[in-house]
Amino acid sequence: MKNTLWLLVALFSASSQAATLSVADKIQLLAVDGKEVKSQGWEAVNSVELSEGKHQVVVRFDGEVKRGSKSTIYTTRPYLFDIDLANTNAEIILPRLTTESQAKAFFERGAQWQLTMENGAVKPLVVIELQGEGFAAYSDIEALVAAYNSDNGIVIEKGNAVDLQQVAVNVDNKTGKIEITGDALTQLKMWYTKASNNDKKAFKIWMAEKDFN
């Protein structure tokens, strides 16, 4: 009985293992899996515990740099990317940027974000620079990420980011023909993410009527 109990505890511990994702100096962690990472008082959050699997992360460079003999704060737009964690700690890093001109040049030519693993391995990150519109376009990071995910058929399921277009859309490399594949549920999820708010309301009304028929 004791051996069985110990085995169950061991299995539960293994299945619930998490990895720590942290960010290097001057990198601000904005959102993980569609949820804003909120500061604790005056202290910015520079690490989060994540389960094994694919996660969607949003960060930006936000730090003090030199402008001549004076200091200033240089802040970029948000950058979004996916990471795949396998129960190992990781850190998001950038090259050391100390002056405003250096930082501007680096981001204008296409910033090279990287992920360094606990074992010393370094992986390049494929990033998307999020584009907002209007005044205070980046004040609601959750809305910005939700709009991007809706446009690109991405949903967050059980804490993991799932690209439904990759799952349900197949493109023939030779002919360019697009074929909708995957099961019916995946297809429904994909089209729902692309619908407008009015379309979603109309669909819910239609679905409720169908359920009662």
Side-chain angles (χ1 to χ4, degrees):
M1 179 66 181
K2 289 183 178 180
N3 289 339
T4 302
L5 181 60
W6 179 88
L7 179 60
L8 288 172
V9 171
L11 287 172
F12 177 79
S13 299
S15 63
S16 60
Q17 282 182 352
T20 299
L21 175 69
S22 57
V23 293
D25 187 38
K26 299 181 183 180
I27 298 176
Q28 184 181 8
L29 190 59
L30 297 176
V32 175
D33 295 331
K35 297 297 183 183
E36 181 183 2
V37 177
K38 296 183 179 179
S39 301
Q40 299 175 345
W42 294 102
E43 293 293 327
V45 177
N46 58 17
S47 65
V48 289
E49 295 292 315
L50 297 177
S51 61
E52 182 178 4
K54 183 182 285 188
H55 296 275
Q56 186 186 71
V57 180
V58 182
V59 299
R60 70 181 173 190
F61 180 89
D62 183 40
E64 187 177 283
V65 292
K66 286 290 185 181
R67 180 191 288 170
S69 60
K70 297 182 179 180
S71 295
T72 187
I73 299 297
Y74 184 79
T75 303
T76 67
R77 290 191 180 101
Y79 286 82
L80 177 148
F81 51 86
D82 291 330
I83 58 170
D84 203 345
L85 292 179
N87 290 333
T88 181
N89 297 336
E91 184 180 33
I92 302 165
I93 61 172
L94 285 173
R96 189 165 178 263
L97 303 172
T98 57
T99 68
E100 185 180 45
S101 59
Q102 183 186 34
K104 281 184 176 180
F106 177 77
F107 287 101
E108 284 175 359
R109 67 172 178 262
Q112 301 297 311
W113 295 82
Q114 294 180 316
L115 188 70
T116 178
M117 315 303 290
E118 197 171 22
N119 61 7
V122 178
K123 298 180 180 180
L125 292 169
V126 179
V127 301
I128 300 293
E129 186 179 2
L130 295 177
Q131 303 287 337
E133 296 181 0
F135 180 72
Y138 305 103
S139 60
D140 190 342
I141 192 65
E142 289 189 6
L144 190 64
V145 173
Y148 172 84
N149 286 343
S150 178
D151 290 342
N152 291 276
I154 297 171
V155 296
I156 307 299
E157 292 189 335
K158 298 179 180 179
N160 295 133
V162 179
D163 188 336
L164 294 176
Q165 291 186 168
Q166 288 184 1
V167 175
V169 178
N170 180 56
V171 180
D172 191 306
N173 292 329
K174 293 182 179 179
T175 65
K177 183 179 179 181
I178 298 175
E179 180 185 6
I180 304 299
T181 60
D183 57 47
L185 179 59
T186 300
Q187 292 180 31
L188 282 170
K189 289 178 181 178
M190 183 186 70
W191 293 120
Y192 188 80
T193 62
K194 292 180 174 297
S196 67
N197 287 335
N198 287 335
D199 289 338
K200 289 177 180 178
K201 289 178 182 177
F203 178 74
K204 288 176 181 177
I205 293 171
W206 174 85
M207 188 171 59
E209 291 174 347
K210 294 293 289 184
D211 287 343
F212 282 111
N213 290 337

